[in-house]
Amino acid sequence: MQNSNKAMANIWDNVVAGATKAANHAGEATQVAATKAKIHADLLVIDRDMNSRKEKFGVEMYAHLESITSTQEFYVADDRLIEIIRPTLIKAQREVAAYERKRDTM
């Protein structure tokens, strides 16, 4: 009978040890997943902030360049930077003008 009790105690100890090990492993896996989720969320916030700043820069730059485009020199300049931005800026101005006309008709 004593051997039977001892065997049961060993089985129980093994069950408890296995359950403890599994719980510890699950806890570690949960912590790793939580850390990854936090890093992912932080990266999303950084990406959002970067895009927001780029958009703000674009609005600021558009406002600055808009006054430059009112001069004839802008359209005939052979400056490399002007040649690069001229097509994009002209396209943006046309789109903005279309939106303004649409807004004005409402």
Side-chain angles (χ1 to χ4, degrees):
M1 185 70 139
Q2 182 129 358
N3 283 341
S4 175
N5 286 341
K6 206 173 205 183
M8 288 300 285
N10 277 341
I11 292 172
W12 181 249
D13 289 344
N14 288 338
V15 168
V16 169
T20 302
K21 183 177 178 181
N24 287 338
H25 182 69
E28 290 169 2
T30 301
Q31 187 173 7
V32 167
T35 300
K36 285 181 181 180
K38 183 185 181 321
I39 290 170
H40 181 68
D42 290 345
L43 290 173
L44 288 175
V45 168
I46 290 169
D47 286 344
R48 184 200 65 210
D49 291 347
M50 285 177 17
N51 287 334
S52 175
R53 182 58 190 118
K54 288 176 185 178
E55 288 173 6
K56 184 177 177 187
F57 173 80
V59 169
E60 292 168 352
M61 185 58 71
Y62 182 86
H64 177 71
L65 291 175
E66 190 174 29
S67 64
I68 294 172
T69 62
S70 65
T71 66
Q72 187 62 31
E73 291 85 25
F74 176 78
Y75 296 96
V76 295
D78 61 354
D79 177 82
R80 179 158 162 72
L81 181 59
I82 296 295
E83 288 178 356
I84 292 171
I85 65 170
R86 186 183 302 132
T88 304
L89 182 59
I90 290 171
K91 181 181 176 192
Q93 284 181 317
R94 288 180 182 153
E95 291 171 355
V96 168
Y99 286 128
E100 287 173 344
R101 284 191 302 275
K102 186 176 181 178
R103 181 193 62 203
D104 291 345
T105 61
M106 295 183 147

